């Protein structure tokens, strides 16, 4: 039995949206796993899908994360020039955070050489940025249509934050605050950021320069000014689509602040192929077939998290673990996939709730001891908690074989009763 932790090196220059020079050599696949959205733009209609229509928010079907993994395998088998896997809706990836993060983890684990990319409105991405960086999600697009809430209030019908719905300037202000914070945080974690701005005649077409200036201030890397597509039945459905001359003028002004993307093809949420050689229609049957696949047991939780001091034994109390090792089974051996930093101590229940998100792709946690609160939350989220002492590989064998770890099980000692094996400082 062997263990390995080698990782292929990604070539980040092979993202065709961020590098126009290779748009005829490498392509992207959009995985449509995010149907819900947390805002309503007055130009957007996600209910209408025409197979001949190419615009954001449109897809022929929705995939679950495990179906998306199967689809990715089939796409790469037929089109090896695909270098990027992205999620661009049809809603917003972070109105569907579990589906989005699970898909990113699955693709990252199975295809570590593939560039990972996301497109979001920025409303809900903030809490996930640390993990996105850990997963090597290297490119994120945030759509910013206004940096003045009075203009934003004309663009958005509503902004939804959890179960609360905001309208008007109040909603636009909240969205802008989240977007600005998200862009700054993405740059702090070294992620390349593109800004999409939908140019809407009479609404924000005189406002793009202000957007460009603010995005430069935040460290954004690229700006993509996109002409609004008038969708019938939407509040902006009767507005004219900006012409080529108007868009060229807007891009020239914005270019004083940020490089401009001029080769955007306004992709669908299920787009696949090269920007110069789209294969969406060719793969439509494959996409539909994958959407009918039954849920594959275990695929969405392929990993096991391990709390260990040195990487050989399960010998660390969860509360004291600053990092957890993430392992997967490969044939008859096990591979160390990654190390994930645990949420900072001192956050109480919020710390352990964040940990359940961090381990959303793990079927089990091996640890030498654990407090009642994290044990309950992890088990409720679907992570089997196995308290044991012994070699990591022995614990992994038991978990992947569906056996209990009783043979290696340590006696769980209550932290509250003073029998905890830890220092007593890590369970908060």
């Amino acid at each position: 039995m062997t263990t390995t932790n080698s990782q292929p090196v990604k070539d980040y220059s092979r993202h065709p949206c961020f590098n126009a020079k290779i748009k005829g050599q490498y392509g992207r696949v959009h995985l449509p796993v995010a149907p819900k959205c947390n805002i309503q733009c007055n130009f957007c209609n996600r209910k209408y899908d025409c197979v001949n229509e190419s615009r954001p928010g449109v897809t022929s079907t929705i995939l679950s994360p495990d179906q998306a993994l199967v689809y990715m395998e089939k796409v790469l088998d037929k089109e090896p020039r695909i270098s990027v896997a992205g999620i661009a809706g049809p809603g917003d990836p972070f109105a569907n955070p579990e589906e989005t993060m699970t898909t990113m983890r699955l693709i990252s684990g199975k295809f570590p050489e593939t560039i990972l990319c996301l497109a979001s409105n920025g409303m809900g991405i903030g809490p996930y940025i640390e993990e996105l960086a850990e997963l090597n999600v290297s490119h994120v697009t945030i759509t910013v249509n206004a940096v003045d809430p009075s203009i934003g209030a004309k663009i958005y019908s509503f902004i939804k934050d959890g179960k609360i719905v905001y309208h008007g300037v109040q909603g636009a202000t909240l969205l802008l605050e989240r977007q600005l914070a998200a862009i700054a945080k993405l740059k702090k974690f070294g992620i390349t950021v593109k800004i999409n701005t939908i140019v809407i005649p009479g609404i924000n077409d005189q406002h793009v320069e202000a957007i460009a200036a603010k995005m430069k201030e935040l460290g954004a890397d690229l700006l993509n000014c996109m002409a609004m597509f008038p969708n019938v039945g939407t509040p902006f459905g009767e507005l004219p689509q900006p012409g080529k001359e108007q868009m060229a003028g807007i891009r020239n002004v914005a270019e004083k602040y940020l490089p401009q993307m001029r080769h955007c093809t306004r992709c669908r949420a299920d787009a696949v192929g090269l920007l110069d050689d789209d294969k969406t229609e060719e793969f439509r049957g494959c996409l539909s077939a994958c959407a009918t696949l039954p849920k594959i047991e275990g695929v969405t939780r392929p990993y096991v998290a391990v709390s260990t001091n040195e990487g050989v034994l399960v010998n660390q109390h969860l509360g004291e673990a600053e990092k957890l090792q993430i392992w997967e089974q490969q044939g008859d051996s096990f591979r160390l996939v990654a190390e994930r930093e645990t949420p900072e101590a001192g956050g109480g229940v919020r710390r352990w709730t964040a940990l359940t998100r961090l381990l959303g792709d793990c079927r089990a946690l091996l640890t030498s001891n654990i407090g009642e609160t994290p044990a309950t939350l992890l088990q409720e989220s679907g992570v089997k908690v196995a308290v044991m002492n012994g070699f990591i590989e022995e614990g992994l064998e038991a978990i992947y074989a569906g056996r209990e770890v009783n043979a290696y099980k340590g006696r769980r000692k209550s932290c509250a009763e003073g029998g905890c094996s830890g220092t007593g400082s890590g369970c908060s």
Side-chain angles (χ1 to χ4, degrees):
M1 189 172 296
T2 60
T3 57
T4 64
N5 61 353
S6 60
Q7 289 281 352
V9 176
K10 293 186 185 185
D11 184 347
Y12 293 110
S13 70
R14 293 181 178 179
H15 195 314
C17 301
F18 290 76
N19 182 3
K21 294 178 181 176
I22 55 89
K23 64 185 176 73
Q25 302 173 47
Y26 297 99
R28 80 296 187 228
V29 56
H30 286 175
L31 304 171
V33 299
K36 296 180 290 187
C37 197
N38 44 12
I39 70 175
Q40 179 60 57
C41 304
N42 285 330
F43 52 78
C44 181
N45 182 1
R46 293 181 292 115
K47 296 179 181 178
Y48 179 68
D49 171 33
C50 171
V51 295
N52 297 315
E53 191 175 16
S54 181
R55 62 174 172 85
V58 172
T59 182
S60 294
T61 190
I62 298 295
L63 299 176
S64 65
D66 50 340
Q67 291 169 341
L69 182 65
V70 175
Y71 178 59
M72 182 77 190
E73 291 173 334
K74 293 181 180 299
V75 167
L76 287 177
D77 185 52
K78 293 183 178 178
E79 180 49 273
R81 294 177 296 175
I82 297 296
S83 57
V84 179
I87 299 175
D92 187 84
F94 296 95
N96 311 261
E98 183 173 349
E99 293 84 354
T100 294
M101 297 306 294
T102 300
T103 303
M104 287 286 103
R105 292 184 199 111
L106 290 173
I107 301 298
S108 175
K110 186 75 174 182
F111 307 103
E113 72 286 1
T114 298
I115 297 170
L116 300 180
C117 181
L118 290 164
S120 170
N121 57 44
M123 181 66 190
I125 192 174
Y128 300 93
I129 291 175
E130 289 93 338
E131 188 180 355
L132 293 177
E134 290 173 6
L135 289 171
N136 291 322
V137 175
S138 54
H139 297 74
V140 171
T141 293
I142 302 291
T143 297
V144 179
N145 298 320
V147 291
D148 179 341
S150 67
I151 296 176
K154 301 176 184 175
I155 298 173
Y156 309 108
S157 279
F158 66 78
I159 308 295
K160 189 176 181 183
D161 186 25
K163 295 182 179 180
I164 303 175
V165 177
Y166 298 90
H167 300 273
V169 171
Q170 186 183 23
T173 299
L174 175 62
L175 175 61
L176 180 60
E177 289 174 351
R178 296 284 181 87
Q179 290 173 330
L180 299 183
I183 294 164
K185 192 171 180 180
L186 287 164
K187 294 310 303 174
K188 177 183 176 183
F189 279 85
I191 294 173
T192 300
V193 175
K194 174 165 68 70
I195 305 299
N196 278 355
T197 295
I198 311 301
V199 177
I200 310 163
I203 304 295
N204 71 347
D205 51 346
Q206 303 300 313
H207 183 55
V208 177
E209 183 172 5
I211 297 172
K214 185 63 180 178
M215 296 304 106
K216 178 184 180 182
E217 180 184 319
L218 293 172
D221 299 278
L222 186 66
L223 179 59
N224 178 23
C225 298
M226 305 169 69
M228 184 202 68
F229 181 87
N231 284 303
V232 175
T234 66
F236 292 165
E238 302 299 322
L239 293 180
Q241 182 169 344
K244 291 182 179 179
E245 186 174 340
Q246 182 183 8
M247 291 303 299
I250 288 172
R251 290 180 179 124
N252 288 338
V253 171
E255 197 164 35
K256 293 188 297 183
Y257 303 91
L258 285 173
Q260 297 295 295
M261 180 181 183
R262 288 186 165 87
H263 60 290
C264 177
T265 57
R266 210 159 53 180
C267 296
R268 296 167 55 97
D270 58 359
V272 57
L274 280 62
L275 299 187
D276 285 348
D277 184 16
D278 191 77
K279 303 279 189 181
T280 303
E281 182 60 31
E282 182 178 328
F283 278 94
R284 193 173 307 285
C286 178
L287 176 68
S288 299
C290 288
T292 64
L293 292 173
K295 182 179 180 181
I296 303 172
E297 192 66 28
V299 168
T300 54
R301 291 186 181 271
Y303 304 129
V304 173
V306 178
S307 182
T308 175
N309 286 310
E310 75 299 287
V312 177
L313 299 170
V314 180
N315 56 5
Q316 190 178 41
H317 190 299
L318 175 68
E320 295 169 3
E322 295 181 355
K323 294 181 179 178
L324 293 175
Q325 291 191 344
I326 307 298
W327 291 76
E328 72 170 354
Q329 187 176 38
Q330 281 198 333
D332 63 350
S333 65
F334 302 104
R335 183 174 78 99
L336 176 61
V337 176
E339 287 190 338
R340 294 180 187 166
E341 293 186 5
T342 58
E344 189 173 351
V349 173
R350 283 189 303 172
R351 178 190 185 196
W352 303 122
T353 302
L355 184 70
T356 64
R357 292 199 299 267
L358 185 72
L359 303 185
D361 55 352
C362 294
R363 64 181 66 185
L365 165 71
L366 302 179
T367 181
S368 68
N369 210 345
I370 184 172
E372 294 292 341
T373 299
T376 300
L377 290 174
L378 284 167
Q379 287 168 342
E380 288 178 350
S381 73
V383 179
K384 178 183 178 66
V385 175
V387 177
M388 63 168 284
N389 288 292
F391 288 102
I392 291 173
E393 289 191 359
E394 292 176 341
L396 293 173
E397 283 181 323
I399 292 296
Y400 282 107
R403 303 196 308 268
E404 293 297 324
V405 295
N406 290 339
Y408 324 103
K409 193 172 183 179
R411 189 171 70 87
R412 184 173 168 186
K413 300 174 182 177
S414 167
C415 303
E417 293 172 358
C420 175
S421 59
T423 64
S425 61
C427 287
S428 59

